Amino acid sequence: MLAIIVNGGAGSSKALTPEEQEIARKGVKKAAEAGYLVLGKGGKAIDAVVEAVRVMEDEPIFNAGTGSALTINGEVEMDASLMTMDGHFGAVGAIKDVKNPILVARKVMEETDHLLLVGEGAIKFARHMGFVKHNPITKRQQEKLAKLKEKGESHYFPKLKKYLKYGTVGAVAFDKNQTVAVANSSGGIRGKLPGRVGDSAILGAGTFASLFGAVTATGHGEWIMKLLLSKITVDLMKTYNAQTAIELALKEAKKYGCLCGIIGIDVKGNIGFGKTTEYMAWAYLRDGALISF
Ligand code: ASP
């Protein structure tokens, strides 16, 4: 059995127009198919999730890579991470001017002794690894930031809540050797302060994998970090299948008003997903059958 599930972010359904939701639907399907193709060729789960996330980073509708949400200063600072079930982890935080943060995170995992590189250091590392300069700022995101600023409340992060637009991308896969892996990439939350690092770069928060399964979360990063949402979900997979584990974790998240979504696969290959938000873009492929939101 082969399986992959991807998400294109959770949030308010009003954040995307019906046309944009259609583009997001196509985008998650395309990413799931790209990842599944890797699995079908005998590729590893980690290769599949990286490919799926890379595809979504290159689709400007998603808040990751090109098309990322802007900081209050109008810049793009991206977070990304990935993890295998045998404990390999790599991440970048607040990285600028690269096309695919997930590929840089993979280099952190494979080429360094560290888990997380941030800011200037992450950019220097990326250049050293051969990643060329790329401007991920889109006009659409500039307009969205301008609107946010017009409405005021732009400096006080918690007050931005009602304008939140999530769109982090994530993928979890299960390969022919029955190993699972996860990857996650995000532009963070619009209007964030420069230097803010969200859950997408943090082990156990936006990304976690262990012998029981692999999970990625999207949504309000500060809460996802406080709850270590991906870690508690994967821990629940010790006892429950992926869907039940995710539902239990979301029940906990709801207690705190945490706006989020979770996708995951347990070590038996069961897929799970859910959200506390109105909307989440997702798609999965299991044994050749494609299902999407
Ligand atoms: N979790 C991301 C963050 O807080 C945002 C998102 O999921 O879109 O940085």
PDB file of all heavy atoms in Angstrom, residues 63 166-168 186 188-189 196 198-200 218-221, ligand 1:
ATOM      1  N   ASN A  63       0.155  29.808   0.878  1.00  0.00           N
ATOM      2  CA  ASN A  63       1.008  30.653   1.712  1.00  0.00           C
ATOM      3  C   ASN A  63       2.287  29.900   2.071  1.00  0.00           C
ATOM      4  O   ASN A  63       2.506  29.495   3.219  1.00  0.00           O
ATOM      5  CB  ASN A  63       0.217  31.052   2.968  1.00  0.00           C
ATOM      6  CG  ASN A  63       1.051  31.791   3.965  1.00  0.00           C
ATOM      7  OD1 ASN A  63       2.113  32.331   3.644  1.00  0.00           O
ATOM      8  ND2 ASN A  63       0.584  31.811   5.205  1.00  0.00           N
ATOM      9  N   TYR A 166      -4.805  31.533   6.597  1.00  0.00           N
ATOM     10  CA  TYR A 166      -3.792  30.494   6.673  1.00  0.00           C
ATOM     11  C   TYR A 166      -3.608  29.866   5.306  1.00  0.00           C
ATOM     12  O   TYR A 166      -4.519  29.870   4.496  1.00  0.00           O
ATOM     13  CB  TYR A 166      -4.218  29.421   7.659  1.00  0.00           C
ATOM     14  CG  TYR A 166      -4.535  29.951   9.019  1.00  0.00           C
ATOM     15  CD1 TYR A 166      -5.794  29.801   9.557  1.00  0.00           C
ATOM     16  CD2 TYR A 166      -3.576  30.624   9.752  1.00  0.00           C
ATOM     17  CE1 TYR A 166      -6.091  30.282  10.812  1.00  0.00           C
ATOM     18  CE2 TYR A 166      -3.871  31.105  11.000  1.00  0.00           C
ATOM     19  CZ  TYR A 166      -5.135  30.938  11.540  1.00  0.00           C
ATOM     20  OH  TYR A 166      -5.431  31.413  12.771  1.00  0.00           O
ATOM     21  N   GLY A 167      -2.464  29.289   5.082  1.00  0.00           N
ATOM     22  CA  GLY A 167      -2.278  28.642   3.799  1.00  0.00           C
ATOM     23  C   GLY A 167      -0.985  27.861   3.762  1.00  0.00           C
ATOM     24  O   GLY A 167      -0.466  27.562   2.702  1.00  0.00           O
ATOM     25  N   THR A 168      -0.491  27.552   4.940  1.00  0.00           N
ATOM     26  CA  THR A 168       0.682  26.695   5.048  1.00  0.00           C
ATOM     27  C   THR A 168       0.446  25.424   4.251  1.00  0.00           C
ATOM     28  O   THR A 168      -0.687  24.957   4.170  1.00  0.00           O
ATOM     29  CB  THR A 168       0.872  26.315   6.528  1.00  0.00           C
ATOM     30  OG1 THR A 168       1.314  27.453   7.213  1.00  0.00           O
ATOM     31  CG2 THR A 168       1.872  25.190   6.706  1.00  0.00           C
ATOM     32  N   SER A 186       5.742  27.221   5.147  1.00  0.00           N
ATOM     33  CA  SER A 186       4.797  28.303   5.406  1.00  0.00           C
ATOM     34  C   SER A 186       5.409  29.686   5.274  1.00  0.00           C
ATOM     35  O   SER A 186       6.578  29.885   5.597  1.00  0.00           O
ATOM     36  CB  SER A 186       4.262  28.160   6.838  1.00  0.00           C
ATOM     37  OG  SER A 186       3.357  29.200   7.118  1.00  0.00           O
ATOM     38  N   GLY A 188       3.960  31.867   7.088  1.00  0.00           N
ATOM     39  CA  GLY A 188       3.547  32.377   8.396  1.00  0.00           C
ATOM     40  C   GLY A 188       2.246  33.142   8.307  1.00  0.00           C
ATOM     41  O   GLY A 188       1.471  32.952   7.362  1.00  0.00           O
ATOM     42  N   ILE A 189       2.002  33.992   9.264  1.00  0.00           N
ATOM     43  CA  ILE A 189       0.733  34.724   9.322  1.00  0.00           C
ATOM     44  C   ILE A 189       0.943  36.168   8.878  1.00  0.00           C
ATOM     45  O   ILE A 189       1.881  36.831   9.332  1.00  0.00           O
ATOM     46  CB  ILE A 189       0.149  34.655  10.745  1.00  0.00           C
ATOM     47  CG1 ILE A 189      -0.241  33.197  11.060  1.00  0.00           C
ATOM     48  CG2 ILE A 189      -1.068  35.571  10.865  1.00  0.00           C
ATOM     49  CD1 ILE A 189      -0.744  32.984  12.457  1.00  0.00           C
ATOM     50  N   ARG A 196       9.735  36.739  13.425  1.00  0.00           N
ATOM     51  CA  ARG A 196       8.844  35.746  14.052  1.00  0.00           C
ATOM     52  C   ARG A 196       9.038  34.379  13.363  1.00  0.00           C
ATOM     53  O   ARG A 196       9.041  34.279  12.143  1.00  0.00           O
ATOM     54  CB  ARG A 196       7.396  36.206  13.908  1.00  0.00           C
ATOM     55  CG  ARG A 196       6.363  35.239  14.510  1.00  0.00           C
ATOM     56  CD  ARG A 196       5.689  34.407  13.445  1.00  0.00           C
ATOM     57  NE  ARG A 196       4.506  33.707  13.947  1.00  0.00           N
ATOM     58  CZ  ARG A 196       3.849  32.788  13.249  1.00  0.00           C
ATOM     59  NH1 ARG A 196       4.248  32.468  12.042  1.00  0.00           N
ATOM     60  NH2 ARG A 196       2.804  32.191  13.751  1.00  0.00           N
ATOM     61  N   GLY A 198       7.366  30.587  13.188  1.00  0.00           N
ATOM     62  CA  GLY A 198       6.128  29.881  13.551  1.00  0.00           C
ATOM     63  C   GLY A 198       6.335  28.385  13.721  1.00  0.00           C
ATOM     64  O   GLY A 198       7.449  27.865  13.635  1.00  0.00           O
ATOM     65  N   ASP A 199       5.228  27.711  13.950  1.00  0.00           N
ATOM     66  CA  ASP A 199       5.242  26.266  14.213  1.00  0.00           C
ATOM     67  C   ASP A 199       5.814  25.438  13.066  1.00  0.00           C
ATOM     68  O   ASP A 199       6.293  24.322  13.292  1.00  0.00           O
ATOM     69  CB  ASP A 199       3.813  25.795  14.474  1.00  0.00           C
ATOM     70  CG  ASP A 199       2.913  26.055  13.267  1.00  0.00           C
ATOM     71  OD1 ASP A 199       2.695  27.235  12.937  1.00  0.00           O
ATOM     72  OD2 ASP A 199       2.473  25.078  12.635  1.00  0.00           O
ATOM     73  N   SER A 200       5.754  25.984  11.837  1.00  0.00           N
ATOM     74  CA  SER A 200       6.167  25.184  10.681  1.00  0.00           C
ATOM     75  C   SER A 200       7.652  24.833  10.718  1.00  0.00           C
ATOM     76  O   SER A 200       8.092  23.925  10.008  1.00  0.00           O
ATOM     77  CB  SER A 200       5.853  25.924   9.385  1.00  0.00           C
ATOM     78  OG  SER A 200       4.495  26.239   9.360  1.00  0.00           O
ATOM     79  N   THR A 218      -1.472  22.941  10.525  1.00  0.00           N
ATOM     80  CA  THR A 218      -1.539  24.269   9.926  1.00  0.00           C
ATOM     81  C   THR A 218      -2.500  25.089  10.768  1.00  0.00           C
ATOM     82  O   THR A 218      -3.390  24.538  11.406  1.00  0.00           O
ATOM     83  CB  THR A 218      -2.027  24.194   8.458  1.00  0.00           C
ATOM     84  OG1 THR A 218      -2.323  25.524   8.009  1.00  0.00           O
ATOM     85  CG2 THR A 218      -3.280  23.357   8.286  1.00  0.00           C
ATOM     86  N   GLY A 219      -2.302  26.392  10.774  1.00  0.00           N
ATOM     87  CA  GLY A 219      -3.192  27.231  11.563  1.00  0.00           C
ATOM     88  C   GLY A 219      -2.427  28.220  12.412  1.00  0.00           C
ATOM     89  O   GLY A 219      -1.317  28.640  12.048  1.00  0.00           O
ATOM     90  N   HIS A 220      -2.999  28.547  13.559  1.00  0.00           N
ATOM     91  CA  HIS A 220      -2.426  29.586  14.412  1.00  0.00           C
ATOM     92  C   HIS A 220      -1.161  29.069  15.107  1.00  0.00           C
ATOM     93  O   HIS A 220      -1.215  28.384  16.126  1.00  0.00           O
ATOM     94  CB  HIS A 220      -3.475  30.028  15.433  1.00  0.00           C
ATOM     95  CG  HIS A 220      -3.108  31.284  16.134  1.00  0.00           C
ATOM     96  ND1 HIS A 220      -3.981  31.990  16.901  1.00  0.00           N
ATOM     97  CD2 HIS A 220      -1.939  31.977  16.178  1.00  0.00           C
ATOM     98  CE1 HIS A 220      -3.373  33.060  17.395  1.00  0.00           C
ATOM     99  NE2 HIS A 220      -2.132  33.057  16.965  1.00  0.00           N
ATOM    100  N   GLY A 221      -0.026  29.423  14.531  1.00  0.00           N
ATOM    101  CA  GLY A 221       1.254  28.850  14.943  1.00  0.00           C
ATOM    102  C   GLY A 221       1.587  28.991  16.413  1.00  0.00           C
ATOM    103  O   GLY A 221       2.163  28.069  17.007  1.00  0.00           O
TER     104      GLY A 221
HETATM  105  N1  ASP B   1       0.971  27.737  11.006  1.00  0.00           N
HETATM  106  C1  ASP B   1       1.444  28.856  10.236  1.00  0.00           C
HETATM  107  C2  ASP B   1       2.100  29.841  11.165  1.00  0.00           C
HETATM  108  O1  ASP B   1       1.542  30.176  12.193  1.00  0.00           O
HETATM  109  C3  ASP B   1       0.390  29.546   9.468  1.00  0.00           C
HETATM  110  C4  ASP B   1      -0.415  28.673   8.561  1.00  0.00           C
HETATM  111  O2  ASP B   1      -0.685  27.524   8.883  1.00  0.00           O
HETATM  112  O3  ASP B   1      -0.793  29.145   7.510  1.00  0.00           O
HETATM  113  O4  ASP B   1       3.156  30.306  10.834  1.00  0.00           O
END
